[in-house]
Amino acid sequence: MAGKKYDYIIAGAGLFGAVAARELTDSGKSVLVIDRRSHVGGNVYTEKTEGINVHKYGAHIFHTNDAAVWEYVNRFARFNRFTNSPVANYKGELYSLPFNMYTFNRMWGVVTPEEARAKIEEQKKEIGHEPRNLEEQAISLVGRDIYEKLIKGYTEKQWGRDCSQLPAFIIRRLPVRFTYDNNYFNALFQGIPTGGYTRMVENMLSGIETRLDTDYLLNKEEFDKEAGKIIYTGPIDAYFGYSLGYLEYRSVRFENELLDIPNYQGNAAVNYTEREIPWTRIIEHKWFEFGKDEDGNDLPKTVISKEYSSEWHPGDEPYYPVNDEKNGALYEDYRKLADKEANVIFGGRLGEYKYYDMDQVIARALEVSQKLLTTPA
Ligand SMILES: Cc1cc2nc3c(=O)[nH]c(=O)nc-3n(C[C@H](O)[C@H](O)[C@H](O)COP(=O)(O)OP(=O)(O)OC[C@H]3O[C@@H](n4cnc5c(N)ncnc54)[C@H](O)[C@@H]3O)c2cc1C
């Protein structure tokens, strides 16, 4: 754009920003990427500790049905064959997730799908009326045993309230599989980028000017002067100085520990489904890459993260947008303000206040970039 140093300045080096930067650069645009954090990757950032790629903002498992997105990410990383098969630990009893024949066999000793189905049907009958709360809803879907051991405590920790005090609509359906299949995701493609997500995002940003520890909003006027257009992937309410109020998030707290043992729990994810244990799950990061470094050597130590549900307060790390009426309406009001910002494109999970899986945010960034490249300025 005439007189401007850059065609685009992209605020945010997460997946949305990195994909947009790559696409625009490859089509001949000049791009500067800035991020207020000291690293690229946004929330998919992984950090190496004792050879283990630790998912610093929560465990991330790439999965998609979108062949184009799968091909796209494979340009920047080699994906391994990791398949998410979490385990639930209820007072030392271990159950396979999602609910499938292995779960039912452990719960009741049943072997055939028919026996499992009969057991669930019999237990569902306990609720003979329209469910009035989450507890009744869950029992009406899968019966009391699964509810008591695998749903109740976990859900109560997540929400900080008794299931009998939570509305029924939170759980609309509970997928139940009558097959011996414990692959959590129903996705055609799944895996973890070997060497970590950070390297994948670094590869996306290869050759593109990137400034870290740089907050767009603190120097907005300067940056606006330098760029034809801004792509902003930070929180939309922060952009407008929270003038209409704070959008809320559901938060998670992580406690990371480096342990001098090779194997803590034998699986990447173990959910703790009893209420008495304060964390909801433990992630053991090395199992995302089969406990080995890139040369195939066994890693001697391990890093675990205990996850706790926590209440979000303004200023905390924003994790999951809250999908309720109040926040939806507030976002709509911010979006109307955003529509008036002619040279700014709001994108990604914070810019659009929307939960996106990684494949979805990549698809969205590809779509937005394409539109920018094909719409006359
Ligand atoms: C706990 C958790 C687990 C998840 N697990 C999975 C999973 O297993 N599989 C999956 O597909 N998806 C998962 N996701 C979703 C995934 O994290 C998102 O799809 C992805 O991170 C979105 O990328 P983004 O670029 O939109 O946002 P972000 O990654 O948040 O990037 C936004 C960037 O903007 C920067 N920024 C903000 N404000 C400013 C500013 N003013 N100036 C400069 N920079 C700024 C931030 O520092 C950040 O780096 C998970 C999400 C969470 C919260």
Side-chain angles (χ1 to χ4, degrees):
M1 201 169 283
K4 302 278 190 180
K5 193 163 173 208
Y6 302 99
D7 295 315
Y8 291 92
I9 289 182
I10 302 183
L15 278 179
F16 190 98
V19 168
R22 180 78 271 148
E23 292 308 291
L24 295 167
T25 302
D26 288 352
S27 292
K29 303 293 176 191
S30 57
V31 175
L32 167 68
V33 176
I34 57 177
D35 202 297
R36 67 177 174 192
R37 290 178 177 166
S38 55
H39 58 74
V40 301
N43 272 22
V44 309
Y45 172 67
T46 48
E47 190 176 277
K48 245 193 181 58
T49 303
E50 297 284 338
I52 301 159
N53 291 304
V54 176
H55 298 210
K56 283 301 233 193
Y57 300 90
H60 279 75
I61 298 142
F62 195 93
H63 57 98
T64 188
N65 286 318
D66 187 331
V69 167
W70 182 242
E71 275 167 33
Y72 189 78
V73 290
N74 275 273
R75 276 174 51 193
F76 306 101
R78 190 158 47 84
F79 278 74
N80 69 18
R81 59 156 187 87
F82 181 83
T83 302
N84 191 25
S85 305
V87 167
N89 182 330
Y90 176 77
K91 301 188 176 178
E93 294 172 22
L94 295 186
Y95 293 94
S96 171
L97 294 175
F99 310 141
N100 67 81
M101 284 305 297
Y102 290 112
T103 327
F104 309 140
N105 174 265
R106 177 76 176 87
M107 185 84 62
W108 302 306
V110 295
V111 171
T112 67
E114 202 186 333
E115 288 167 329
R117 207 182 281 276
K119 199 83 193 167
I120 290 175
E121 287 307 318
E122 173 200 317
Q123 293 202 358
K124 278 162 66 166
K125 282 194 206 131
E126 182 185 330
I127 307 294
H129 52 80
E130 188 62 30
R132 289 170 296 216
N133 54 47
L134 192 148
E135 174 168 297
E136 293 183 356
Q137 172 78 335
I139 296 171
S140 75
L141 291 168
V142 289
R144 182 165 287 276
D145 288 345
I146 294 178
Y147 166 70
E148 293 280 354
K149 291 190 169 180
L150 301 178
I151 297 170
K152 186 175 188 296
Y154 193 84
T155 310
E156 291 181 345
K157 285 188 275 191
Q158 270 191 322
W159 291 90
R161 273 195 282 162
D162 286 354
C163 285
S164 57
Q165 305 300 316
L166 287 165
F169 72 80
I170 294 180
I171 293 185
R172 286 212 176 82
R173 43 189 290 278
L174 284 167
V176 175
R177 286 184 194 162
F178 294 99
T179 51
Y180 286 93
D181 175 9
N182 56 8
N183 175 353
Y184 191 82
F185 295 117
N186 277 320
L188 281 176
F189 310 104
Q190 181 173 188
I192 301 282
T194 45
Y197 286 94
T198 305
R199 191 197 286 167
M200 178 178 90
V201 176
E202 280 167 357
N203 288 340
M204 287 175 171
L205 291 170
S206 167
I208 300 172
E209 186 180 348
T210 304
R211 286 187 217 157
L212 300 175
D213 299 306
T214 305
D215 192 320
Y216 165 70
L217 294 176
L218 293 181
N219 295 294
K220 185 173 180 314
E221 273 181 36
E222 282 307 303
F223 288 125
D224 290 352
K225 273 188 226 151
E226 287 192 312
K229 278 195 161 63
I230 302 290
I231 298 179
Y232 175 80
T233 73
I236 188 167
D237 54 355
Y239 181 94
F240 294 105
Y242 306 101
S243 56
L244 306 176
Y246 285 93
L247 287 165
E248 293 169 319
Y249 289 85
R250 201 156 66 69
S251 205
V252 210
R253 186 167 61 80
F254 305 102
E255 265 177 28
N256 298 335
E257 291 171 47
L258 171 66
L259 304 176
D260 201 2
I261 53 170
N263 191 354
Y264 176 76
Q265 63 183 16
N267 203 40
V270 176
N271 292 7
Y272 285 81
T273 56
E274 69 202 79
R275 193 166 179 177
E276 292 70 26
I277 288 183
W279 50 85
T280 49
R281 58 178 194 167
I282 297 182
I283 298 298
E284 188 171 8
H285 299 264
K286 71 191 307 186
W287 302 122
F288 288 123
E289 298 182 57
F290 309 106
K292 297 192 186 292
D293 68 15
E294 279 181 80
D295 298 323
N297 303 310
D298 288 329
L299 293 160
K301 296 186 183 175
T302 196
V303 176
I304 61 166
S305 299
K306 291 180 175 150
E307 287 188 16
Y308 300 82
S309 276
S310 71
E311 197 141 331
W312 180 84
H313 302 284
D316 289 353
E317 193 61 57
Y319 282 102
Y320 302 99
V322 177
N323 257 333
D324 63 8
E325 225 169 282
K326 181 179 130 201
N327 285 285
L330 183 55
Y331 168 68
E332 274 310 308
D333 290 341
Y334 275 120
R335 206 183 51 81
K336 283 181 199 139
L337 292 182
D339 286 345
K340 293 188 194 140
E341 299 285 294
N343 286 326
V344 186
I345 298 104
F346 292 78
R349 66 180 195 101
L350 302 169
E352 298 174 66
Y353 191 65
K354 185 169 180 194
Y355 180 82
Y356 279 121
D357 270 331
M358 291 181 276
D359 62 327
Q360 295 169 321
V361 95
I362 289 168
R364 180 86 182 122
L366 289 170
E367 184 193 324
V368 169
S369 313
Q370 203 47 41
K371 203 160 149 210
L372 287 171
L373 289 165
T374 50
T375 312

